[in-house]
Amino acid sequence: MTSPGPDGRPANTPPTPSDSPSAAPPSPGPTPLVLSPGKPIRLTSGALLAEVQPGAGGRLSRLARRDTRGDLFDYLVPLGNDPFPSDEWPKAGAFPMLPYTNMLRDDRLHWRDRTITVREQPAASSSLHGWGLRREWEVVDESPHCCVLQLDCPAQPEWPWHYQAYLSVTLDAQGVDMQLSLTNLSADAMPGGLGLHPYFRWPAGARLTFESEAVWHSPSEDVRWPSEQRIHVGAIEVVSVGGGLDMEGRSTWFAEAPSGSGCFDARIDYAGGLRSATVRSSDAPWLVVHSPAGRPYLCLEPSTHRVGEFDHDHVVIAHGQTLDLTMRIDLA
């Protein structure tokens, strides 16, 4: 957690038009039923290309490398520019999760002496991954290599705290940095959690390797949180057969950072050994690993809290304080 700047924003955050004392903070209103990505922000550095879609939930919508023949190799599943329902988003790109990650048990937050239902109608799955991926973000800074997006969310019945989020995406010749922050603007303390959710290409023959203190499983595909624990200290390797993680049909693993370090280093090597992507985070105690059977994508999601256990495994953010999460993707 970092301290806010003198005006309550995260340190080193560019000012926005709403910082004026006379300007009311923009209100996103209820979750829109349809998101329209619009024209993407394009970032380039060397042979790498990234695109960001503020209108599609602040999503990194493309991450690719151009070879000497001019052909592009996409590491993430590209999003495209077509509108889509906010309740059924394409399994593509990489989006921010806030003010919590994944799903809360029974869509309820038990906070001190209150029980809050986080499901927002009419969006049936609005409790999944929070609200950041369902709103249009504002562009507050843009350059050929970097863009900074901002989201202001006033209190609502489903989340009775006012918060502000910033997402910066910075591309260099070796990869991309994503930095996500969440600041509590309410007078009362707020529970908070952050995550980043990339969809990597996962064709047959690709190999995933990482180290974990322990891996938790969900008991079935109908349960989205861990309820079984398998201790597995050391290196883990998974080879893609075109989708899925194991022979038992589970599509999701919940991995603890090695030795409680809060640091993850997970690598995907693509068949042929010519391309790889390494995901690193130094402030994520958890990594959600997700790949449904038969679907050629793999999600590696650094998270600040355990899925389904937000009531007992969260950060308490005081007024004006900020929670941060970073993810670095190195590409070869």
Side-chain angles (χ1 to χ4, degrees):
M1 181 177 293
T2 62
S3 299
D7 54 2
R9 292 193 317 274
N12 302 319
T13 298
T16 73
S18 62
D19 293 328
S20 169
S22 60
S27 172
T31 297
L33 296 181
V34 175
L35 291 175
S36 299
K39 183 179 179 181
I41 298 172
R42 175 166 288 196
L43 309 176
T44 58
S45 182
L48 296 186
L49 162 71
E51 292 182 350
V52 179
Q53 296 277 20
R59 191 179 302 229
L60 173 63
S61 57
R62 190 171 196 185
L63 183 61
R65 179 185 295 277
R66 191 178 302 278
D67 64 21
T68 55
R69 296 176 299 179
D71 297 329
L72 285 171
F73 178 87
D74 282 290
Y75 294 89
L76 298 179
V77 179
L79 176 64
N81 298 324
D82 294 333
F84 58 88
S86 61
D87 199 32
E88 298 178 8
W89 58 88
K91 305 302 186 283
F95 59 76
M97 297 184 286
L98 58 94
Y100 59 87
T101 75
N102 290 276
M103 178 174 283
L104 305 186
R105 290 180 186 268
D106 302 319
D107 300 325
R108 287 179 173 83
L109 171 65
H110 304 286
W111 174 248
R112 298 180 175 173
D113 60 346
R114 307 170 64 184
T115 297
I116 300 164
T117 300
V118 298
R119 181 182 295 276
E120 182 185 22
Q121 300 296 336
S125 69
S126 67
S127 60
L128 181 61
H129 301 317
W131 291 277
L133 78 160
R134 293 176 170 82
R135 303 288 172 82
E136 180 178 357
W137 292 56
E138 178 187 0
V139 181
V140 296
D141 195 17
E142 182 181 349
S143 74
H145 310 300
C146 177
C147 67
V148 180
L149 311 180
Q150 181 258 339
L151 179 69
D152 190 282
C153 287
Q156 60 189 53
E158 297 81 13
W159 195 264
W161 296 276
H162 180 190
Y163 61 88
Q164 191 173 71
Y166 283 87
L167 175 65
S168 69
V169 180
T170 305
L171 188 71
D172 58 46
Q174 288 74 46
V176 65
D177 283 296
M178 298 184 72
Q179 298 181 333
L180 181 62
S181 70
L182 176 68
T183 301
N184 178 16
L185 300 183
S186 291
D188 297 332
M190 178 185 81
L194 294 174
L196 289 162
H197 195 306
Y199 290 91
F200 288 96
R201 293 178 59 240
W202 184 233
R207 185 175 75 256
L208 168 68
T209 53
F210 67 98
E211 292 194 2
S212 176
E213 182 71 17
V215 172
W216 298 57
H217 288 162
S218 58
S220 71
E221 288 299 276
D222 297 328
V223 178
R224 295 178 180 268
W225 48 79
S227 57
E228 301 175 10
Q229 184 179 19
R230 180 184 67 173
I231 301 297
H232 190 145
V233 178
I236 296 174
E237 180 174 328
V238 182
V239 177
S240 172
V241 292
L245 293 175
D246 58 35
M247 299 300 294
E248 298 178 5
R250 295 185 177 94
S251 66
T252 308
W253 294 352
F254 310 92
E256 295 181 41
S259 303
S261 63
C263 300
F264 268 103
D265 191 324
R267 178 179 172 120
I268 303 172
D269 287 284
Y270 292 97
L274 299 178
R275 293 282 180 259
S276 67
T278 302
V279 178
R280 296 185 172 94
S281 181
S282 60
D283 41 22
W286 292 90
L287 181 72
V288 179
V289 184
H290 174 68
S291 180
R295 303 291 296 273
Y297 63 79
L298 172 70
C299 302
L300 300 173
E301 310 163 32
S303 303
T304 62
H305 67 89
R306 180 155 55 111
V307 176
E309 293 296 328
F310 194 63
D311 296 349
H312 308 291
D313 186 19
H314 58 262
V315 174
V316 177
I317 308 175
H319 168 73
Q321 286 191 325
T322 297
L323 175 66
D324 295 302
L325 176 68
T326 60
M327 180 176 71
R328 168 75 184 178
I329 305 176
D330 283 305
L331 304 172

